[in-house]
Amino acid sequence: MSDIAEVAAEGLATGPVPRRPRLAARVLRTPTGVVGVLITLCWLAVGVAAPALAPYDPFAIEGSALGPPSAVHPLGTDALGRDLLSGVVWGARTSLVVAAGVAVLALLIGTVVGLVSGYLGGWLDDVLMRSTEVFQVLPRFFLALVVIAFFGPGLDRLVLVLGVTSWPLLARVVRAEVFSLRHREFVDAARVHGASTSRILVREILPNALPPAVALLGLVVAQVILIEASLGFLGLGDPNVTSWGALASEAQRFLRAAWWLSVFPGLAILLAVLGLNLLGDAVTDAASGRR
Amino acid sequence: MPIRGLSACFGLVVLVVSACSGADPDDGATADPSATATGEPTRGGTLVAAIDSDPGSLNPAISTSGGTHTASELLFNGLVELDEQLEPVAELAESWEVLEDGAVYRFDLRNGVTWHDGEPFTSADVKFTFEEMLLELHSRTAASVGAALQSIETPDPDTVEFRFREPYAPFLLQLGVTEAPILPMHVYEGTDVQENPANIDPIGTGPFRLESYTPDSELRFVAYEDYFKPDLPYLDEVVMRIIPDPGNQVVALEAGEVDWLFGAPGPELELLRQAGGFGFFETAVNPGGSNCIMTVSFNLERPMFQDVALRRAIGTALDRDQFLERVLFGQGRVAEAPISSGIPFAHAAGLEGMPQFDAAEAEQLLDEAGWQREGDGVRTASGVDGVPDGTPLAFDFLHFPSFEAYGDLVRAQLGEVGIEVELVPLEPPVFAERVFTDREFDTNIISYCNGADPEIGVKRMYLSSNVGPVPFSNSSAYRNPDVDRLFEQARTTVDLAERGEIYRELQEQLVEDLPYLWIVETESGRVFTDDCAGFGPAGHFAETAYCAS
């Protein structure tokens, strides 16, 4: 899972990365970037506005069993007669909640560890980097499986377990950035002015070290969406919230009798992950000056 | 990595799911429910059957697991099987006498029966199997026969005599290969029966013997040439191929790789019917037991559920036709009484107190019970005994992951009348511990298999002495001395019509008290290629089967 991210991380870690003021503009100049941004924005919008967008309660029996797509149910209905469009829309919200929670946690931990480790160095660096490696080799998917097997399904524990295992790459990228930044002229200048360590870290170094980490975050989040969907597919999601993976899993039983049940949730997962990957790639390229 | 992890775990999950959902054969009724091949039975040939999980163990006497029974019953026999009308027919026992008003059963065993290794079968095998396995480790037989049996005597190698403390009416219904398979004493004697290697390399008396067992892949059986029923089996070989996903099983059947499925999802069944070239029949005989009813339990130790008015309101809010139509796709019936319609003498049809779906009436009953609703929201308590005012009408609903569709429908239907249901899917062992040991639940759904007689699988749900840690006992913690007394009376009444009257009175009491809600009686649809015919629904499904090609 981490191959892409690893390559991206290497790309980011090598060579000095000076601050580029118009990152967003550079991302939008590439077709990949435009498509990535559009899909991702779409996913965000649907997730945020799910209650308003979904035509029905995703759990309510609203139509006939296994109804094909129609005017009333644009994506059809499932075996119990629940509206699939509503399921897919609410599924976007579930994936968004998990992705956002994990992103915040991972970014927070990764940035702090990277900053401290890279700037202070010494034994602290050693300790932090070794523990980063420990977290990096944890198989996230299986850890999530184990946690859910022990504590039962729930979004809170899923966010927690994925959050505390998703930060190592971010920490390493931030640390590499800090290494290249900590003896740059503007940092030295701040130091000579008598700025405190924390001020230098937060005001001078952080803004320059963050963009590559944010680019990487897109890829990490895409993986998180896949994991969430996989757990749902295995029947390990929370049955009290709608999940794309759970929808796809239920669809298996009716693979030939009701194609729409597999196709639409599958498409939703595909698009969300594709969008985030495209966006992540575009940001990575823009941030490292490549095209 | 997620992909690899996904498929690796998928195997696991499917195994667990199918172990509890299963759809396979069992005891009883060897018949010819749907002969489609033409002419006289032909000899020879191989039948390939799909099964949905690896059986693990092939010893049906120490487990009631559907997977184990599906894969092992061809190898063994009981003393007495049941035909379609649930009449006892000779199997390992040639004839029998019922003495002392039903307190003593004497069986004359068939002569010349041999085990697959050539050793002769004797009454010592029967006594040994009962004492060391069935009464210890087979949960249904241990709970029913074990509780009533006094002794087993073997006056000579061809005779075995069961003596009960009091008359025990249903004994002849519990001697088939599902409830009481007979295993060889000479293989098991003096060993730990649960660890004996014969549990995966079994020796039986059945129509087929095991040729090879490749875990997670297939089992091969060949006809036992010295089988005690003349001319049987017709087939040379039976192969059971492990195909976990029901969808894939259907594809394999269509491709001709498999000849027999123990079950298929409703919509797929419909496609096969339209395609033609297949034979079908439906049966209530299933691996974990027969005549199963999907049953909702209320935890009567929770203050909220101590009020029968709430239980009745919930029963009235559930549209059971929708369960039949959308979860079972018509494979079964709406449950009309606490005892299955598969036990005709005990099933009490047309009970007045049985809750029938009526959303408006349910809302009214909830209002009257003190659960008030504002707008479309969740109802809250006001003036309900033992429940603080303002408590929302919300509870959890425990279920096996394979029963999630039931949970989804319960949540949707109760949501309509202002009840909030939280689904809690739990794997079977965790479910059993949480419900029966910890009693940490509000409501749940269980497939309670009634068996061929209420004594086998009904009584355990209601006896007040049966609340407690034994899995799949009295889940609701229902206690009613009248009901206990009626069960006792039914057990010692030998006349079937008289027993039926007692069970009717009992069921009238049960629908008045509503400790459970009886939702649907489940059946599964067997499918097979119409080159073959002569199948039974049960464990010996292939004993009388034959194929044209």
Side-chain angles (χ1 to χ4, degrees):
Chain A
M1 86 172 61
S2 49
D3 295 356
I4 306 166
E6 204 87 65
V7 171
E10 266 168 36
L12 291 165
T14 53
V17 183
R19 188 173 181 180
R20 311 251 170 185
R22 289 165 63 225
L23 192 66
R26 287 152 49 80
V27 167
L28 286 174
R29 222 173 285 157
T30 64
T32 327
V34 173
V35 175
V37 166
L38 278 182
I39 297 178
T40 307
L41 280 180
C42 227
W43 169 63
L44 285 171
V46 170
V48 169
L53 288 177
Y56 306 99
D57 174 349
F59 292 138
I61 313 296
E62 296 287 353
S64 59
L66 296 179
S70 65
V72 191
H73 301 287
L75 303 189
T77 57
D78 71 3
L80 297 180
R82 297 177 295 186
D83 182 58
L84 185 60
L85 175 61
S86 307
V88 171
V89 167
W90 279 89
R93 192 182 180 89
T94 305
S95 68
L96 181 62
V97 166
V98 175
V102 172
V104 168
L105 264 181
L107 200 59
L108 208 67
I109 304 174
T111 312
V112 170
V113 170
L115 276 179
V116 171
S117 188
Y119 190 77
L120 298 181
W123 64 269
L124 195 59
D125 183 32
D126 280 340
V127 171
L128 286 175
M129 280 303 105
R130 293 303 82 76
S131 49
T132 305
E133 279 155 17
V134 169
F135 275 99
Q136 199 168 358
V137 297
L138 282 179
R140 279 190 297 173
F141 185 76
F142 288 105
L143 200 64
L145 271 183
V146 169
V147 166
I148 280 169
F150 267 101
F151 301 103
L155 293 188
D156 45 356
R157 56 215 76 167
L158 188 60
V159 166
L160 208 62
V161 69
L162 293 180
V164 298
T165 48
S166 295
W167 55 267
L169 275 177
L170 300 180
R172 294 171 79 102
V173 170
V174 171
R175 175 173 169 272
E177 290 298 309
V178 174
F179 261 145
S180 73
L181 290 167
R182 66 178 173 182
H183 291 304
R184 296 283 277 275
E185 291 85 347
F186 66 92
V187 178
D188 286 339
R191 202 173 291 127
V192 170
H193 266 97
S196 68
T197 305
S198 59
R199 186 189 162 85
I200 294 173
L201 276 175
V202 175
R203 298 292 293 273
E204 307 296 336
I205 294 185
L206 184 61
N208 294 290
L210 214 46
V214 171
L216 195 55
L217 195 62
L219 305 179
V220 170
V221 164
Q223 294 297 338
V224 165
I225 291 180
L226 276 183
I227 291 178
E228 193 269 329
S230 304
L231 287 171
F233 188 79
L234 293 177
L236 295 169
D238 183 350
N240 299 294
V241 294
T242 305
S243 141
W244 289 337
L247 292 174
S249 164
E250 195 205 307
Q252 273 193 111
R253 290 177 56 216
F254 310 107
L255 203 53
R256 295 183 312 160
W259 55 269
W260 54 94
L261 290 180
S262 318
V263 167
F264 295 116
L267 267 181
I269 299 171
L270 175 82
L271 281 176
V273 174
L274 181 71
L276 281 164
N277 270 302
L278 290 177
L279 180 63
D281 277 351
V283 175
T284 307
D285 287 354
S288 62
R290 280 182 287 147
R291 275 294 145 82
Chain B
M1 183 209 99
I3 302 305
R4 215 160 12 91
L6 194 143
S7 54
C9 295
F10 190 56
L12 253 172
V13 168
V14 164
L15 222 156
V16 172
V17 166
S18 49
C20 48
S21 72
D24 314 344
D26 180 46
D27 77 315
T30 30
D32 184 7
S34 165
T36 44
T38 49
E40 284 295 294
T42 40
R43 305 199 74 84
T46 298
L47 178 86
V48 184
I51 56 176
D52 52 18
S53 63
D54 187 272
S57 158
L58 294 172
N59 183 342
I62 59 171
S63 166
T64 53
S65 146
T68 292
H69 276 261
T70 306
S72 64
E73 289 182 356
L74 286 177
L75 302 165
F76 298 99
N77 299 92
L79 291 176
V80 174
E81 281 291 351
L82 300 176
D83 67 9
E84 269 177 300
Q85 281 74 45
L86 297 180
E87 293 295 327
V89 290
E91 193 81 1
L92 285 174
E94 205 164 34
S95 62
W96 52 88
E97 289 173 278
V98 184
L99 306 167
E100 295 178 29
D101 289 335
V104 174
Y105 288 77
R106 181 183 296 153
F107 297 89
D108 183 14
L109 303 181
R110 207 181 278 262
N111 295 316
V113 176
T114 55
W115 295 100
H116 295 157
D117 60 1
E119 293 287 318
F121 158 76
T122 71
S123 58
D125 293 314
V126 179
K127 182 175 161 74
F128 177 84
T129 305
F130 268 88
E131 288 179 347
E132 302 296 323
M133 301 193 204
L134 295 169
L135 300 181
E136 297 290 324
L137 298 162
H138 189 289
S139 63
R140 281 191 304 269
T141 302
S144 52
V145 179
L149 192 69
Q150 187 174 8
S151 65
I152 304 173
E153 303 298 330
T154 52
D156 63 65
D158 287 336
T159 310
V160 60
E161 202 175 274
F162 292 80
R163 180 171 292 276
F164 292 88
R165 290 188 199 91
E166 289 169 282
Y168 183 74
F171 192 47
L172 289 175
L173 303 175
Q174 292 176 268
L175 295 173
V177 69
T178 299
E179 305 297 336
I182 303 301
L183 276 80
M185 179 169 93
H186 68 275
V187 172
Y188 282 93
E189 194 178 19
T191 67
D192 178 350
V193 296
Q194 301 206 64
E195 302 297 331
N196 194 300
N199 289 344
I200 51 168
D201 187 12
I203 303 286
T205 53
F208 292 88
R209 60 186 173 79
L210 187 70
E211 165 98 345
S212 67
Y213 169 25
T214 316
D216 291 320
S217 168
E218 64 172 30
L219 298 100
R220 301 190 85 87
F221 303 87
V222 291
Y224 178 41
E225 52 280 12
D226 293 327
Y227 189 47
F228 62 82
K229 294 184 191 171
D231 291 338
L232 291 177
Y234 299 119
L235 293 162
D236 283 342
E237 199 181 23
V238 173
V239 178
M240 290 192 185
R241 192 165 292 163
I242 298 162
I243 305 177
D245 181 64
N248 292 344
Q249 289 191 1
V250 174
V251 174
L253 179 72
E254 284 189 316
E257 290 169 20
V258 163
D259 305 311
W260 165 270
L261 304 185
F262 285 107
E268 298 279 1
L269 217 50
E270 206 41 57
L271 291 176
L272 289 173
R273 268 203 187 94
Q274 286 162 15
F278 302 101
F280 304 86
F281 64 89
E282 292 201 350
T283 174
V285 177
N286 272 307
S290 51
N291 294 328
C292 306
I293 302 182
M294 296 302 301
T295 309
V296 173
S297 312
F298 297 106
N299 185 349
L300 300 178
E301 288 163 348
R302 297 276 150 101
M304 174 189 292
F305 292 119
Q306 282 168 6
D307 182 10
V308 66
L310 175 62
R311 307 201 293 271
R312 184 163 297 279
I314 293 172
T316 310
L318 290 179
D319 180 357
R320 298 180 299 155
D321 288 322
Q322 222 169 41
F323 285 85
L324 178 63
E325 181 191 318
R326 300 193 173 191
V327 181
L328 293 176
F329 297 97
Q331 297 183 54
R333 283 172 302 279
V334 165
E336 281 175 9
I339 295 180
S340 166
S341 61
I343 315 176
F345 80 89
H347 172 75
L351 288 171
E352 263 182 37
M354 197 73 180
Q356 303 297 341
F357 170 62
D358 183 338
E361 191 191 329
E363 299 243 20
Q364 193 192 336
L365 286 172
L366 286 166
D367 288 340
E368 287 166 10
W371 296 96
Q372 306 304 331
R373 187 178 202 182
E374 277 172 40
D376 277 344
V378 176
R379 290 171 182 273
T380 51
S382 98
V384 180
D385 270 353
V387 181
D389 283 358
T391 305
L393 186 44
F395 46 81
D396 63 26
F397 182 88
L398 277 58
H399 60 88
F400 291 175
S402 53
F403 293 155
E404 185 164 331
Y406 291 94
D408 284 335
L409 208 46
V410 165
R411 173 174 58 196
Q413 293 182 352
L414 294 187
E416 291 290 315
V417 297
I419 301 174
E420 190 178 302
V421 176
E422 187 198 349
L423 303 190
V424 184
L426 296 171
E427 295 298 338
V430 186
F431 179 96
E433 185 175 330
R434 186 141 158 208
V435 171
F436 295 97
T437 311
D438 304 340
R439 300 208 57 79
E440 266 304 309
F441 73 100
D442 299 321
T443 64
N444 70 47
I445 192 159
I446 292 173
S447 170
Y448 273 113
C449 296
N450 286 187
D453 188 284
E455 181 69 18
I456 299 172
V458 176
K459 190 168 84 164
R460 57 168 168 170
M461 300 166 62
Y462 304 102
L463 284 194
S464 44
S465 59
N466 223 21
V467 180
V470 177
F472 308 103
S473 49
N474 184 342
S475 155
S476 287
Y478 175 59
R479 293 180 174 88
N480 185 334
D482 290 340
V483 167
D484 292 347
R485 183 180 50 77
L486 287 168
F487 270 114
E488 201 54 34
Q489 206 179 324
R491 178 166 70 88
T492 52
T493 304
V494 178
D495 183 78
L496 213 56
E498 253 177 77
R499 280 184 80 203
E501 278 310 306
I502 300 170
Y503 283 125
R504 171 167 273 278
E505 191 184 334
L506 209 154
Q507 288 170 86
E508 280 166 1
Q509 185 66 50
L510 292 177
V511 298
E512 194 184 312
D513 292 347
L514 289 179
Y516 298 89
L517 297 173
W518 305 272
I519 308 295
V520 279
E521 298 182 355
T522 52
E523 286 193 341
S524 30
R526 310 281 190 256
V527 200
F528 50 95
T529 161
D530 64 6
D531 293 337
C532 299
F535 293 104
H540 285 175
F541 74 100
E543 185 186 38
T544 51
Y546 53 92
C547 294
S549 52

